[in-house]
Amino acid sequence: MSQAKTGGGMFTFLIIMVIVMIIYSVQTLRDGVAAGAGLILEPITILLGFNWLVTILVLAAITGCYSSLLQKYTIDYEKMQRVQKKMKEFQKDFREAQLAGDEKRIRKMKDKQQKMMEEQMQMSQEQFKPMAWIMIITIPIFLWLLSKAHEMGEATFAIGGTINLADPLFFLPAWIIWYMLCSLALSQIIRKTLDIGGL
C-alpha cells in the first residue's frame, strides 16, 4: 500500500468532514439534505406505524450493516493484526535490550523502529478509507432523524423512565442515546456474523 494512496483516504475523509460541518451549520442545506433523505425514509416510518423506537432500531441495523460491509472489503484486518503483533514483539525486544544495556542492539533496533512506526501509521490511516462513504450515507439519515425529533413523542426506558425522545437523557437527546445503543449492539452482532476482524 503506498503512502500517497493511504493519505488520499484521510484527505477524502477530511473533505467530507468539512462538507458535513458546512451542511450542519447552514439551516437551508441541513433541511434540504433531511428532506432528500425523507423521500426514502418516510415510507419506512409509515410501514412501521410511526413507532420511532423501532424505526431508529431498523435504521441503526441498516447503517451498521453497510458500514460493516464497507470496512470488511476496504480494510485489510489481517495485515493490521500482523503489523500490531510485529510492533508488540519489537517493543518487547527493545525493552529487553534497554534493560540489558545492549547499546549496539539498541542502535540497530532504533533504525528499524522508524520504519515500523511509519508502517503502523499507514495501517492506522487505512481505517479512514471507508469512513467517507459511511458518512455520506449516515449523515442524511441522522439529519432526517434530527428534523423529526419533535414528532417522536414519548418512550419508556429502563433508565430514565418515560421521556420524550427529543428531551435530554445523559446530556444528549434520548433518541440519539437509543440510536447509539442500537448501533453499537447491532454492529457487534453484524461484525461477528460477517466475521469481520479488528484490532
Side-chain angles (χ1 to χ4, degrees):
M1 174 179 53
S2 68
Q3 189 170 355
K5 186 177 179 181
T6 304
M10 180 178 282
F11 180 74
T12 303
F13 172 75
L14 292 173
I15 291 295
I16 295 294
M17 278 294 294
V18 171
I19 293 171
V20 167
M21 290 172 64
I22 292 171
I23 290 172
Y24 187 79
S25 302
V26 180
Q27 181 74 44
T28 306
L29 293 175
R30 190 164 71 237
D31 292 344
V33 171
L39 296 175
I40 298 171
L41 302 178
E42 291 280 0
I44 295 175
T45 309
I46 295 169
L47 185 65
L48 296 173
F50 295 96
N51 185 325
W52 285 100
L53 286 183
V54 177
T55 298
I56 292 171
L57 176 65
V58 169
L59 293 179
I62 292 171
T63 54
C65 189
Y66 72 69
S67 62
S68 296
L69 284 169
L70 278 170
Q71 290 171 344
K72 180 178 177 67
Y73 293 109
T74 59
I75 297 176
D76 188 343
Y77 282 106
E78 290 184 1
K79 185 175 181 180
M80 291 179 75
Q81 289 169 346
R82 286 197 303 271
V83 169
Q84 186 187 49
K85 183 179 179 182
K86 190 163 65 173
M87 178 58 77
K88 284 182 179 178
E89 290 172 352
F90 174 84
Q91 288 171 343
K92 182 182 176 182
D93 292 342
F94 191 70
R95 281 194 299 270
E96 288 176 355
Q98 287 179 316
L99 290 172
D102 190 339
E103 294 296 331
K104 183 177 179 181
R105 186 180 172 196
I106 289 172
R107 283 195 301 271
K108 189 175 181 180
M109 292 186 75
K110 278 185 176 180
D111 293 336
K112 187 179 178 183
Q113 187 179 35
Q114 182 62 35
K115 183 179 179 181
M116 290 190 67
M117 290 291 289
E118 289 175 2
E119 187 178 16
Q120 189 176 47
M121 179 63 71
Q122 287 178 6
M123 293 309 301
S124 297
Q125 290 176 349
E126 185 175 332
Q127 296 178 75
F128 285 95
K129 288 198 296 185
M131 287 301 294
W133 295 106
I134 291 170
M135 290 178 66
I136 285 172
I137 302 172
T138 302
I139 295 302
I141 292 174
F142 182 84
L143 292 178
W144 179 76
L145 286 171
L146 183 64
S147 73
K148 294 295 181 179
H150 65 285
E151 300 177 14
M152 293 181 180
E154 295 182 338
T156 302
F157 295 91
I159 299 175
T162 301
I163 186 173
N164 192 297
L165 287 171
D167 290 342
L169 179 66
F170 302 117
F171 309 105
L172 285 172
W175 71 267
I176 295 181
I177 297 292
W178 177 241
Y179 180 88
M180 289 170 62
L181 290 173
C182 292
S183 183
L184 287 171
L186 292 170
S187 290
Q188 291 302 312
I189 295 170
I190 292 167
R191 292 173 72 85
K192 190 165 184 65
T193 302
L194 296 174
D195 192 24
I196 298 175
L199 292 179

